[in-house]
Structures are given as structure tokens and as C-alpha cells.
Amino acid sequence: MNALEVKQLTKCFNKKEVVKGLSFSVEGGQLLALLGPSGCGKTTTLRMIAGLETADDGEIWIEGALASCGRKVAISQKQRHIGMVFQDLALWPHMTVYENIKFGLKANGLTRAERRKKIETVLNKVNMQKYAREYPGKLSGGQQQLIAIARAIVTEPRLLLMDEPLSNIDVKLREDIRQEIRRIQQETQITTVYVTHDQEDAFLLADNIAVMNAGMLEQIGSPEEIYSSPTSLFVASFVGEANIMQVKIDGKDRVLTPWGELVCNTKDQEGKNAYLFFRPHQANIDDSGYCYGTIINRSFVAGVYKYQVSANGIEFKLQGQTRHDIGKFIKFSIRKMDILFF
């Protein structure tokens, strides 16, 4: 069963639509990443799910129950039983770690012993039990992040919502905390919606990714589907490094490119506008290649040479393990090509 369903969700601020008919669902126990550039409506969507913002139109269903329909709120924010991790963490600086986590349990009608047991259990889950009596200001950014997660899940919520939780953490620590978030989510099996503009976060954490652009859903699918089979020009260009160039369809399975005619599946779309799409790593630079170009720039990143190449005035990216000089004329072949039609 879907733990969350969003149907045609719409939100306006000052007569401007910031979320436009958005629809998606999340299966129970899965983590969905809402991925997109700043200002695309990700956080607004998350706040509507949480009940912190009221939608102008559309429906939100949580575990089969209608939470809101248009402006009508069927289930209040408190009754939705949602855990939330904010971008700024929102930890109380004057409270210890233990007290911060306990704060969310006060309204649950639990005895002191029951609260203590839940807090100890959740601290063990995030490996932070030895910091129970510390104040947040004494902890590192990563440790504070884990405490914010512990506070959000201690009530065993139906949904966990996370809004750019790693945006203020340095790159090295980010990798460690990302692994912890994934471990905690998989162990607890809490259905999670994770908002991010960082593609690495989305691809390493999510079961499925929903790519948003200008308030609308561009594509939803597994990380592999989003990367390898983009369904729109925006997703193809936004996700990962990609070469996208307009081509002319010269007949069935024949396409004119900057390097000459190529044979590939034109999907019976003769006469349509088409774009050639391939990733830099899908090309092999070798003398037997059927494509050509001149290297105009080179960089070396994490054991891989990255090249900017030009052919007939068109620039594109290639990469490989072998070093080639700037200005060199090269030949290359492409292992996989997709033609996208719009």
C-alpha cells in the first residue's frame, strides 16, 4: 500500500503558482527524494504534506486516509503523526540531547519510564547514547544532525520528512552522515520524503527519485531510470553530466550529427525535432571510432580525465583513463545512444 499519495497538488504565493498540479506516491518503507533546483517547489510541497502550509488545490492521502482536499484540512498537522527534520535542525540550544528528544514525547501521554525507554532506544539507533547529557552546541554538525533525526523518529511517525538536512555539512562529513541516514531509514522502515538539490544525496539515498522543475514533476523513477532513461530534456540536462545536441533525422534509423551520419533507432519519428543524448562515460576514445573532434580543454578528477571536445563548432564532453593533449584530433565511438523527441 502507498503510505503517501499526492494528487494534483497546487499552491500559489502572491498569485504565482509555485506548485502546479503535482502528483506522486510513495510505497510504505521507501525513501523518495524530491530533487530539483532551488525555487522549484520542493520545500513547499514538503510543508503541505506536513500540514505546515495549506494547499490551494489537490489532495494529500496518508496511509489511505485523506489528510487534505484543496483548502479543506481533514487531518490536522498534529494528527498526521509526521516526523520532520528541518534544514536548520531547530534543536533547542538550552536543552540537553536527552531533553531535546524528550520534548517531542511530552504530549504522547507516556509515563516517565516509557519516555526514558523510547529515548534510550532511539539514541542507540543513531549511535549517540553517550552524548545524552551534552548540549547541542558542544556537538559537531553531523552529531547534531543525528540528534535531529532521533527527535523526529522517537515518536515512531507514519512519515519522516527531511528538508535539505545535509546542506550545511562539509563534504567529508556529509558522506558519513548520508550513510547513517540510509542505515537508520532502512532499519526503521519509516516511509521518508527527502528534499534535496544535491544529486549525490538523491542517488545514494533514494529508492525512487522525483525530479521537479518550476513547480511540476518532470519524471519519477528509480535512480537507474532517472540517470539512464530521462524522459524530458530538463531531466537529461539536469541529472548528471550529459551531451545533448540537436540532430536532423535523415530517414528511417539515420541521423545527421556534427560528425556525419549515424545509424540508430529513430523510433519512426522522421521529420520530428530530435536530440542526441549520451553520457561522457559512454564514449570510447580510440583510433577505430566513427566520430571525431578536437580536444579544447582537459581536467583530471578522481582518477579520470575529463575532456571538452569540439567538432564543427559543437562542443561536448568525453572522459577516459588515458591522457590526451589539448589540441589533439581524436576519434571516438559511443557505446550507447538515445534519441529523445520533444
Side-chain angles (χ1 to χ4, degrees), residues 51-121:
L52 299 173
E53 296 282 356
T54 302
D56 292 314
D57 201 1
E59 299 176 354
I60 298 172
W61 293 77
I62 299 174
E63 292 189 342
L66 181 63
S68 68
C69 181
R71 292 178 175 272
K72 182 180 178 182
V73 177
I75 302 176
S76 70
Q77 173 196 342
K78 290 183 179 179
Q79 292 173 325
R80 292 187 189 189
H81 197 31
I82 287 173
M84 189 142 183
V85 179
F86 297 92
Q87 185 173 354
D88 61 1
L89 305 186
L91 296 174
W92 298 100
H94 63 285
M95 293 183 180
T96 65
V97 164
Y98 188 94
E99 291 167 339
N100 263 279
I101 298 173
K102 184 176 72 173
F103 186 81
L105 289 172
K106 281 187 175 180
N108 283 18
L110 299 175
T111 66
R112 180 179 297 180
E114 289 171 332
R115 287 199 300 268
R116 183 171 60 250
K117 183 177 180 181
K118 278 184 172 291
I119 294 167
E120 290 172 353
T121 298

Side-chain angles (χ1 to χ4, degrees), residues 178-246:
R178 191 189 289 130
Q179 292 176 357
E180 282 297 285
I181 289 174
R182 187 55 173 159
R183 177 188 64 78
I184 293 165
Q185 193 275 328
Q186 289 185 319
E187 287 181 1
T188 59
Q189 284 293 291
I190 296 177
T191 306
T192 303
V193 180
Y194 186 103
V195 161
T196 183
H197 68 275
D198 188 285
Q199 296 180 29
E200 195 168 5
D201 283 355
F203 276 82
L204 291 176
L205 286 170
D207 297 294
N208 284 301
I209 298 172
V211 182
M212 290 184 64
N213 178 36
M216 296 183 289
L217 180 69
E218 290 277 346
Q219 185 177 351
I220 187 168
S222 68
E224 294 84 359
E225 290 169 338
I226 296 295
Y227 184 80
S228 300
S229 303
T231 58
S232 73
L233 192 59
F234 174 82
V235 176
S237 58
F238 179 73
V239 175
E241 287 190 290
N243 294 300
I244 304 169
M245 57 195 73
Q246 195 160 9

Side-chain angles (χ1 to χ4, degrees), residues 31-318:
L31 189 151
L32 173 77
L34 285 183
L35 173 67
S38 297
C40 73
K42 306 183 302 293
T43 295
T44 300
T45 299
L46 203 72
R47 289 176 64 84
M48 285 189 285
I49 295 169
L52 299 173
E53 296 282 356
T54 302
D56 292 314
D57 201 1
E59 299 176 354
I60 298 172
W61 293 77
I62 299 174
E63 292 189 342
L66 181 63
S68 68
C69 181
R71 292 178 175 272
K72 182 180 178 182
V73 177
I75 302 176
S76 70
Q77 173 196 342
K78 290 183 179 179
Q79 292 173 325
R80 292 187 189 189
H81 197 31
I82 287 173
M84 189 142 183
V85 179
F86 297 92
Q87 185 173 354
D88 61 1
L89 305 186
L91 296 174
W92 298 100
H94 63 285
M95 293 183 180
T96 65
V97 164
Y98 188 94
E99 291 167 339
N100 263 279
I101 298 173
K102 184 176 72 173
F103 186 81
L105 289 172
K106 281 187 175 180
N108 283 18
L110 299 175
T111 66
R112 180 179 297 180
E114 289 171 332
R115 287 199 300 268
R116 183 171 60 250
K117 183 177 180 181
K118 278 184 172 291
I119 294 167
E120 290 172 353
T121 298
V122 79
L123 282 171
N124 285 330
K125 282 180 181 176
V126 300
N127 292 325
M128 292 291 290
Q129 55 271 38
K130 65 181 179 180
Y131 300 101
R133 301 303 171 188
E134 297 286 353
Y135 288 90
K138 297 289 186 179
L139 304 179
S140 69
Q143 290 169 334
Q144 291 180 28
Q145 185 59 257
L146 293 174
I147 296 307
I149 294 170
R151 186 181 60 185
I153 67 174
V154 70
T155 59
E156 301 176 18
R158 295 176 179 176
L159 295 174
L160 176 62
L161 307 180
M162 307 183 79
D163 186 14
E164 301 271 12
L166 302 183
S167 60
N168 298 320
I169 296 179
D170 66 69
V171 174
K172 175 58 182 170
L173 187 57
R174 192 184 188 104
E175 183 178 337
D176 296 335
I177 301 303
R178 191 189 289 130
Q179 292 176 357
E180 282 297 285
I181 289 174
R182 187 55 173 159
R183 177 188 64 78
I184 293 165
Q185 193 275 328
Q186 289 185 319
E187 287 181 1
T188 59
Q189 284 293 291
I190 296 177
T191 306
T192 303
V193 180
Y194 186 103
V195 161
T196 183
H197 68 275
D198 188 285
Q199 296 180 29
E200 195 168 5
D201 283 355
F203 276 82
L204 291 176
L205 286 170
D207 297 294
N208 284 301
I209 298 172
V211 182
M212 290 184 64
N213 178 36
M216 296 183 289
L217 180 69
E218 290 277 346
Q219 185 177 351
I220 187 168
S222 68
E224 294 84 359
E225 290 169 338
I226 296 295
Y227 184 80
S228 300
S229 303
T231 58
S232 73
L233 192 59
F234 174 82
V235 176
S237 58
F238 179 73
V239 175
E241 287 190 290
N243 294 300
I244 304 169
M245 57 195 73
Q246 195 160 9
V247 294
K248 180 180 179 181
I249 299 177
D250 195 35
K252 183 175 175 57
D253 296 338
R254 297 198 309 277
V255 175
L256 290 180
T257 75
W259 322 290
E261 187 175 85
L262 294 181
V263 176
C264 53
N265 184 8
T266 58
K267 304 175 185 176
D268 298 321
Q269 298 285 333
E270 294 177 41
K272 297 287 184 70
N273 291 328
Y275 292 83
L276 178 68
F277 162 79
F278 68 96
R279 303 287 184 187
H281 67 82
Q282 292 173 326
N284 289 324
I285 301 175
D286 58 65
D287 291 336
S288 62
Y290 49 80
C291 304
Y292 57 84
T294 300
I295 295 174
I296 58 174
N297 202 357
R298 181 191 68 223
S299 60
F300 184 73
V301 181
V304 175
Y305 290 100
K306 296 192 173 188
Y307 298 103
Q308 193 79 14
V309 181
S310 177
N312 292 327
I314 303 296
E315 294 184 8
F316 49 94
K317 300 173 183 178
L318 304 179

